[in-house]
Amino acid sequence: MRVEYINPFYQATLDVFRVMLSLEPKRGTLKAVEELVPVSEANVGIGVTGDLRGSLLYSFPKAMALEMVHIMSGMRMTKLDAFVTSALSEVANIISGNALTYLSKNALVCDISPPQAFIGSEGTLSMSTEKAIVLPLITDIGTLEVSISLHGK
Amino acid sequence: MWKEHYRVGSDLIDTQHQELFKRVSSFIRVVQGDGPWVERLAQVQETLVFMQHYVVIHFADEEKLQAEIGYPELERHRKIHDDFKAEIQAFAQTVEREGFDEEKVQEFSAKVMTWLIMHVGREDQKIGEFLRSQGGHK
């Protein structure tokens, strides 16, 4: 897992959060983990295929997820229902797509699978046995953790 | 939902965008509202029909503007519009076939919301920038 795969995800999150949420996420300290483990209540997993393959896991604390939806819709919501998880899935999907566009500038062509949302921090999302890097993205409404496990052919 | 910085500088397009945001916003209020689903269903159906028609009109007007000003990314933008129209169409067919399931409608309305914010907030802003670089819209 190469660290240079990480920056496109930071850049893409910054772009998307600016447009959609008027937020400026800051990078936290990267950490290496053995597998993709959801750390918060609202999670979105996305598979990657192509020149790089692996998985991405977006982990949102519940309060952050609800506040993101409040910023977007103007409505206060109290539970992680299908509307909220669908909105988070779309945000994760857009970030991933944009990050892969940045990676394609380095001649790496990849595709993503449709996002899969799941609630709760039980279990792991182990699609590979290789290590992942966790990128914390700190915002005024909470910290999103993006776990990235991408490997070349 | 609508924010002033979403303006692109064309009165027609800005008015249509505001209408779209207003409709999507009230759609979400109905979908996420209280009360039995059967009672909210009529409004959901009505909004879906409106969206199907209105996006066609709006996208056509926006593409016409892009052609008029010689916007270089028209074809790419048209493709994004066509893909979105196809998604709405596909959803309309699904609910026609399978019925208006509350959870499916919730998922769809969130998709429409994020698409609209991202599209108007980023893609359409590029039209605005181009328009301004050409001296604005007459």
Side-chain angles (χ1 to χ4, degrees):
Chain A
M1 173 76 206
R2 294 162 69 167
V3 178
E4 60 259 40
Y5 299 154
I6 303 300
N7 204 42
F9 285 89
Y10 172 63
Q11 196 54 51
T13 310
L14 188 63
D15 293 346
V16 171
F17 271 39
R18 274 178 179 161
V19 172
M20 302 196 82
L21 305 163
S22 300
L23 288 171
E24 294 272 326
K26 292 185 180 60
R27 272 177 84 138
T29 309
L30 297 180
K31 56 188 177 211
V33 291
E34 293 299 322
E35 52 198 352
L36 299 183
V37 183
V39 289
S40 297
E41 294 93 337
N43 303 285
V44 181
I46 292 178
V48 179
T49 55
D51 290 341
L52 294 176
R53 61 201 152 69
S55 313
L56 309 165
L57 174 66
Y58 294 78
S59 222
F60 303 86
K62 182 179 177 186
M64 181 185 192
L66 295 176
E67 185 55 26
M68 284 170 66
V69 172
H70 174 232
I71 295 171
M72 287 189 274
S73 69
M75 269 187 88
R76 289 241 175 249
M77 292 174 203
T78 53
K79 52 182 194 287
L80 298 171
D81 62 7
F83 180 86
V84 176
T85 55
S86 172
L88 296 177
S89 297
E90 288 306 310
V91 171
N93 196 35
I94 296 166
I95 293 171
S96 305
N98 289 3
L100 295 184
T101 304
Y102 284 123
L103 282 168
S104 70
K105 288 173 186 157
N106 299 328
L108 292 166
V109 181
C110 306
D111 248 325
I112 51 176
S113 65
Q116 301 246 306
F118 55 101
I119 306 296
S121 48
E122 293 291 311
T124 61
L125 186 83
S126 243
M127 296 185 199
S128 75
T129 52
E130 309 212 42
K131 287 187 178 176
I133 291 177
V134 180
L135 166 67
L137 294 147
I138 305 158
T139 77
D140 293 344
I141 60 166
T143 299
L144 154 67
E145 295 207 330
V146 186
S147 303
I148 302 157
S149 177
L150 291 176
H151 308 277
K153 277 178 184 165
Chain B
M1 274 182 72
W2 164 263
K3 303 204 170 48
E4 277 305 307
H5 66 259
Y6 290 157
R7 285 189 186 280
V8 297
S10 153
D11 288 343
L12 174 66
I13 302 305
D14 288 333
T15 306
Q16 290 179 343
H17 280 161
Q18 285 177 62
E19 181 65 21
L20 271 174
F21 273 88
K22 206 171 88 186
R23 288 290 185 146
V24 171
S25 180
S26 60
F27 186 46
I28 295 168
R29 269 170 216 286
V30 175
V31 172
Q32 292 297 90
D34 296 324
W37 179 238
V38 280
E39 286 172 18
R40 290 179 278 143
L41 202 52
Q43 248 179 301
V44 167
Q45 287 166 314
E46 188 195 310
T47 308
L48 187 60
V49 171
F50 169 83
M51 292 285 288
Q52 277 177 281
H53 291 99
Y54 198 74
V55 293
V56 171
I57 295 165
H58 165 61
F59 287 169
D61 283 342
E62 201 182 89
E63 287 161 17
K64 188 165 160 254
L65 168 74
Q66 292 178 49
E68 274 169 18
I69 62 173
Y71 182 61
E73 291 192 54
L74 168 60
E75 284 315 314
R76 197 181 66 85
H77 204 110
R78 196 197 306 274
K79 164 94 173 55
I80 298 172
H81 284 169
D82 288 347
D83 289 347
F84 187 66
K85 278 189 279 191
E87 259 194 72
I88 294 191
Q89 200 55 38
F91 180 75
Q93 281 167 357
T94 304
V95 289
E96 203 175 300
R97 209 173 45 237
E98 299 169 13
F100 279 81
D101 172 70
E102 184 172 5
E103 214 170 279
K104 275 206 180 74
V105 177
Q106 282 181 314
E107 284 170 9
F108 174 74
S109 60
K111 248 185 166 182
V112 170
M113 172 188 76
T114 47
W115 187 90
L116 185 64
I117 295 172
M118 209 52 205
H119 186 73
V120 175
R122 192 167 64 177
E123 279 307 320
D124 288 349
Q125 294 312 302
K126 295 179 192 167
I127 308 170
E129 280 162 33
F130 184 79
L131 199 55
R132 285 189 289 279
S133 75
Q134 304 295 301
H137 193 235
K138 304 289 178 287

